[in-house]
Amino acid sequence: MATYYNENTILYQNGKFVKASEAKIDLYSQSLHYGYSVFEGIRSYKNINGETKIFKAVKHYERLKNSALAMNMPYNYTTDELIEATYEVLKKNNFQDAYIRPLIYAPANMSFAKNTECFITIEVWEMAPFLGDKLLRVMTSSFQRPNPKGFKIEAKAAGHYVNSILASQEAKANGYDEALLTDMNDFVAEGPGANVFFEKDGKLFTPSLGNILPGITRATVIEICNELEIPVEEKLFTIDEMKKADAAFFCGTAAEVIGWESLDDVVFPKKWNETVSRRIQKAYVDRVIEKETVNELV
Ligand code: PMP
């Protein structure tokens, strides 16, 4: 198991910077018992000038707020104050390339009733940027994503991630690197913690919004496509259609842009280094460190 903190690690909790090893939460919290909390996954990078920069900080903290409000949580933080606290917690831990995990959690409450307050913690741990050399073997999951009529699927609520855990563990138990989940209508949805794209004849496709988490990396990839004049389309498609693709990748804050070798052992025919997906992967790596992308033609 990874270690996320040691005796020197500092986290932010409800306005204070405290030692991770001494921070406490209430074991009667509604969050722990029912998965009723919301969170974000953010990254900071050392940019080309050597400064620590949180990638898309405003977008992530706005999504955190929207997730909390979607769950009827009283949310009284400003995005500015949380971004400031995040930079401070990075500084106190001496981190530049890091993963940042803000979590909004509930007080002690064994009922399902609404709370009058909520709490926050921001935890950080070191994470080196990914170079994109590994390719994933992906398996179609036997689990579907949660039905959007049963959950507010656009919110990043902790309880939704039981579905992700089941799918990811199933894929690994079957010897694959990661799972691909469909939606309740059997269209391709997303990975357990990442959005998905495929490439066919130089064009990119990604599932439309509605049954997926609207990923900030997904939006960044679409932005990059528009800038590099790579055609991109949001639509619903099936697993069978994906298996006829030239290439595919997952994208997410933690995953960044990561190519696939195969889906259910069907190997993608195009060499990763010759795909437009690879160009996007490189452009993403440049973007997070604030380096200008040279629009190189393949
Ligand atoms: N889908 C799911 C289910 C996720 O958990 C994540 C990670 N937050 C993503 C997609 C990708 O979102 P983002 O690019 O905002 O990290």
Side-chain angles (χ1 to χ4, degrees):
M1 280 286 161
T3 44
Y4 297 97
Y5 65 94
N6 60 32
E7 66 282 5
N8 300 316
T9 307
I10 302 291
L11 57 74
Y12 176 83
Q13 192 179 31
N14 307 315
K16 297 198 183 83
F17 296 94
V18 295
K19 277 196 161 188
S21 58
E22 289 166 10
K24 289 190 171 69
I25 66 152
D26 194 320
L27 288 176
Y28 294 75
S29 164
Q30 209 181 19
S31 301
L32 188 61
H33 290 255
Y34 306 126
Y36 183 69
S37 60
V38 296
F39 69 98
E40 263 309 314
I42 316 177
R43 268 171 99 148
S44 63
Y45 294 90
K46 179 179 171 179
N47 76 1
I48 46 163
N49 299 320
E51 302 150 338
T52 307
K53 285 292 179 76
I54 302 171
F55 188 62
K56 304 264 179 191
V58 171
K59 288 253 179 307
H60 280 284
Y61 278 108
E62 277 173 0
R63 187 169 67 185
L64 183 69
K65 178 177 183 175
N66 290 334
S67 295
L69 297 179
M71 295 295 134
N72 311 317
M73 292 175 165
Y75 186 95
N76 296 312
Y77 315 101
T78 67
T79 291
D80 281 354
E81 110 190 50
L82 296 183
I83 293 175
E84 200 184 310
T86 307
Y87 275 110
E88 192 58 33
V89 78
L90 287 169
K91 202 164 134 198
K92 287 191 186 301
N93 287 288
N94 249 319
F95 293 162
Q96 292 205 286
D97 291 314
Y99 188 82
I100 299 156
R101 170 53 59 82
L103 175 82
I104 306 288
Y105 60 100
N109 182 357
M110 289 299 106
S111 84
F112 299 151
K114 231 169 134 165
N115 301 298
T116 53
E117 58 180 344
C118 66
F119 304 114
I120 184 165
T121 170
I122 304 172
E123 298 160 5
V124 294
W125 55 91
E126 263 184 318
M127 188 177 275
F130 170 67
L131 298 173
D133 37 6
K134 190 179 179 267
L135 291 179
L136 299 179
R137 294 180 57 248
V138 178
M139 174 192 132
T140 304
S141 185
S142 71
F143 297 97
Q144 292 185 332
R145 288 294 288 160
N147 179 341
K149 289 182 179 159
F151 289 92
K152 290 186 179 170
I153 202 73
E154 72 288 351
K156 214 167 154 54
H160 299 170
Y161 284 82
V162 176
N163 170 259
S164 299
I165 287 174
L166 290 172
S168 203
Q169 290 184 356
E170 178 192 50
K172 283 174 184 146
N174 283 284
Y176 293 88
D177 297 310
E178 198 46 283
L180 174 65
L181 293 89
T182 50
D183 66 19
M184 60 178 182
N185 300 314
D186 286 330
F187 290 113
V188 171
E190 59 189 328
N195 291 115
V196 63
F197 281 78
F198 78 80
E199 172 179 334
K200 182 76 181 171
D201 300 329
K203 182 171 175 179
L204 290 189
F205 298 88
T206 193
S208 325
L209 297 181
N211 297 324
I212 58 171
L213 187 84
I216 291 165
T217 319
R218 176 185 177 277
T220 306
V221 166
I222 293 173
E223 212 174 274
I224 291 172
C225 285
N226 292 335
E227 285 171 27
L228 299 186
E229 295 179 356
I230 296 165
V232 55
E233 186 181 332
E234 301 174 59
K235 68 165 195 173
L236 295 176
F237 52 84
T238 61
I239 294 283
D240 281 347
E241 189 174 348
M242 255 201 104
K243 285 183 183 163
K244 297 190 190 102
D246 298 328
F249 61 86
F250 275 135
C251 69
T253 299
E256 300 179 327
V257 172
I258 183 162
W260 293 12
E261 178 186 303
S262 60
L263 173 58
D264 299 332
D265 299 319
V266 177
V267 175
F268 291 97
K270 204 148 188 192
K271 278 204 192 101
W272 177 250
N273 279 337
E274 294 169 6
T275 59
V276 290
S277 301
R278 170 66 183 146
R279 276 174 69 202
I280 289 164
Q281 183 180 49
K282 282 203 241 167
Y284 186 79
V285 169
D286 288 346
R287 185 148 312 206
V288 297
I289 59 164
E290 302 181 332
K291 184 175 153 204
E292 207 183 320
T293 293
V294 181
N295 190 359
E296 41 184 332
L297 295 170
V298 178

